[in-house]
Every structure is written in C-alpha cells, then in structure tokens.
Amino acid sequence: MSDFVIFTDSGCDIAPEILSSWGVYHRDLNFRFEGDEKEYSNADMNSNEFYAKMREGGVAKTSAVNVETFASAFEELLAEGKDILYIGFSSGLSTTFNSARIAAQQVAEKYPERKIITIDTLAASAGQGLILKLALDKKNAGATIEEVAEYTENIKLKISIWFTVDDLVYLKRGGRVSPTAAFFGNMLGIKPILHMDNEGHLIPLSKVRGRKTSIMALADKYGELSTELGGANIFISHGDCIADAEYLAELLKTRYGATVDLITNVGTVIGAHSGPGTLAFFFVGKHR
C-alpha cells in the first residue's frame, strides 16, 4: 500500500503545532492591515494581538494561498514517494481550494505514478478542522487514500456549522448586513445566528437578543441536529472570547453530557471578516 499524507491550509484554524503532531502538512493564507505594507501569516501574529488591532479599528484583508506555493509543497512530497490527500478551505469563501486543485493538476503531470486528490470541504474554521480530524482518524485506522477520500466526501456535508458574532460592524463590512441593520442591531443588542450551507457560504439564519441568548441558541442546535448526542467530535472556535467558548462547552456538558474535544482560536482568515467575539461551533449532525 502506497504511503500518503494529509495536507490542508490555515483556513482550518487548527494550530500549527497540533497539525504537526497529527502529521498533517499545511500552508498559510495571509493577511494585511489597511495602511500596513507588511503581509502576515497566522504564524506571524498571535490571535490576541490580531483582535486587539481590530478592536482599535484596524481593517484586515486576507489573501489566498497561491498556486505556486501549493505546487512547490506538493512536488516536494511527491518526489519523496508520498501520495497526497488535500482537504481544503471552502471554495465558497476563498480561492485557496482552486489554487490547490490547479497545483495538483500541474504536479500530477510530472509524477504520473503518484496519487494526489483534492477535496473541497465547503467548510471553514474548526469545521474544516473537524473534517480533517475525522479523515485523519480514518487514515490512522488503516484506510487507503481512496477510502479516506470517499469517507471525507461523504461526511463533509454532515458537519453542522454554526456561528454567532458579537459586533455587527464586521458583517456590515462584508456586505452580510446593511449599515442600518448593523447600527440598530448593535444598539438593541441583536446577535445573529449564522450557518454554513452546502455550498460553503456563510449565511445568517436567525437573530436573537443578547450574547448569552445567542450562545444558548448554538447549544440548541446541537440538541436538534447531533447524530452523536452526548458523544464526541465537537469542536469550538472563538475570536478572543475564551470565556464564551467555555460557557458553550459547559452548556453542552450540562444539557447533553457532551464533551468538547477541542477549543481553538478563530484565525485571521475568518476573524478578519467576522471580528473579535466570533463564536463558532461544529459537530457531526443530520445535515449542515
């Protein structure tokens, strides 16, 4: 059986040291603050500093991983005799997956004896990370690259993905809410509940009043949709609001006896568009 590796990108919001411990390769998306000439990767700035800059009014712009970066990394692995399964950031939010797909086609021509498979998770943040972890578990159980790829395609639209944000101004910048809705929503304490759909787009589904109510609404979704009620495979990510992430984890434990496997940071890619105070929640469900 041919050796293969799993490859991803920083859209998964899994810390590089964790990816390394999992044996997963990755490349970073980058960001730049308006008025700053320097371009950063996730590794260049910790999340506390990033969100502090946003709270001070900084506007961050993100850029996808380019074809050349992926091609170079892929070719190095293929030359070592390894096959590659790339599990990437939603094509509905970034061109990163398309860059990886093009790079895979380019290097495959030079290494026809090797296998390189690309999968669009249609997910983001630790939702992509959870899909990645489930694929890795399958690999570690002895599955072939084709079996892991098929499993990943089958499971990806069963990862339920839910978000809430603390300040509507960031969604206003991205055109997801109108300036008027953002102004009155913030004034009235309105918090949106957002969902990632089957096309990999982040869409608002409902609104509640108050931060704690929005967190309880996320917990409600677990009760409605989970196929592993009280079980494992739950990830939470947060934009510099660890207390809220821990509150959600405690709600899940108290209500459902469920234990959260991983609490991680919402990275710069999603955080640039959703802002500090973003809280995201991911689990295996009946559907997205």
Side-chain angles (χ1 to χ4, degrees):
M1 183 173 64
S2 179
D3 186 24
F4 76 96
V5 300
I6 293 179
F7 204 109
T8 191
D9 55 70
S10 61
C12 68
D13 285 348
I14 303 298
E17 58 269 24
I18 295 178
L19 292 176
S20 180
S21 72
W22 289 353
V24 173
Y25 294 77
H26 83 286
R27 287 294 179 269
D28 282 321
L29 286 86
N30 296 322
F31 69 94
R32 181 196 307 271
F33 279 99
E34 286 186 354
D36 190 342
E37 293 183 1
K38 180 175 173 57
E39 188 169 69
Y40 301 86
S41 73
N42 277 354
D44 295 329
M45 183 181 292
N46 68 48
S47 61
N48 290 339
E49 183 181 356
F50 174 78
Y51 286 114
K53 283 181 173 289
M54 290 197 75
R55 287 188 174 103
E56 291 166 0
V59 177
K61 303 292 185 180
T62 60
S63 57
V65 184
N66 61 41
V67 174
E68 293 74 20
T69 297
F70 275 130
S72 175
F74 290 166
E75 184 164 5
E76 185 176 335
L77 291 166
L78 296 175
E80 293 174 359
K82 295 180 173 66
D83 295 333
I84 301 170
L85 176 60
Y86 169 75
I87 298 173
F89 185 30
S90 172
S91 62
L93 295 175
S94 171
T95 59
T96 294
F97 174 76
N98 195 48
S99 292
R101 182 185 58 80
I102 293 169
Q105 291 172 345
Q106 290 178 356
V107 298
E109 294 174 1
K110 298 172 66 174
Y111 297 88
E113 75 284 2
R114 300 262 56 89
K115 297 171 184 173
I116 181 164
I117 301 171
T118 59
I119 294 178
D120 181 358
T121 63
L122 300 170
S125 191
Q128 176 185 339
L130 180 53
I131 295 168
L132 181 71
K133 181 58 166 61
L134 293 171
L136 181 66
D137 290 344
K138 194 77 172 176
K139 176 183 184 291
N140 290 340
T144 66
I145 187 171
E146 293 88 357
E147 289 168 340
V148 176
E150 181 181 10
Y151 169 78
T152 305
E153 288 286 5
N154 288 336
I155 198 71
K156 70 184 188 182
L157 294 183
K158 295 178 183 175
I159 302 304
S160 206
I161 299 175
W162 298 90
F163 285 73
T164 190
V165 301
D166 198 37
D167 191 331
L168 292 167
V169 68
Y170 303 103
L171 296 182
K172 180 197 74 174
R173 288 178 186 167
R176 298 191 183 279
V177 299
S178 70
T180 301
F183 174 79
F184 285 107
N186 280 337
M187 187 172 64
L188 296 171
I190 300 299
K191 309 298 179 184
I193 306 300
L194 302 103
H195 164 67
M196 184 158 278
D197 65 15
N198 287 354
E199 285 71 50
H201 301 116
L202 194 59
I203 56 173
L205 274 195
S206 61
K207 299 174 184 177
V208 298
R209 178 171 285 185
R211 179 66 166 179
K212 283 202 171 181
T213 306
S214 71
I215 299 172
M216 289 188 283
L218 295 184
D220 291 343
K221 292 300 179 184
Y222 181 76
E224 292 172 20
L225 296 173
S226 175
T227 57
E228 302 178 340
L229 204 60
N233 298 317
I234 304 171
F235 283 10
I236 293 173
S237 60
H238 69 93
D240 198 29
C241 54
I242 183 63
D244 290 338
E246 291 172 344
Y247 176 61
L248 175 57
E250 185 60 31
L251 278 177
L252 296 170
K253 184 176 181 180
T254 301
R255 288 190 188 181
Y256 309 107
T259 300
V260 173
D261 297 281
L262 180 69
I263 295 178
T264 186
N265 293 311
V266 174
T268 58
V269 178
I270 300 299
H273 303 284
S274 59
T278 300
L279 186 63
F281 175 41
F282 317 91
F283 56 93
V284 181
K286 300 169 188 174
H287 51 75
R288 276 279 171 96

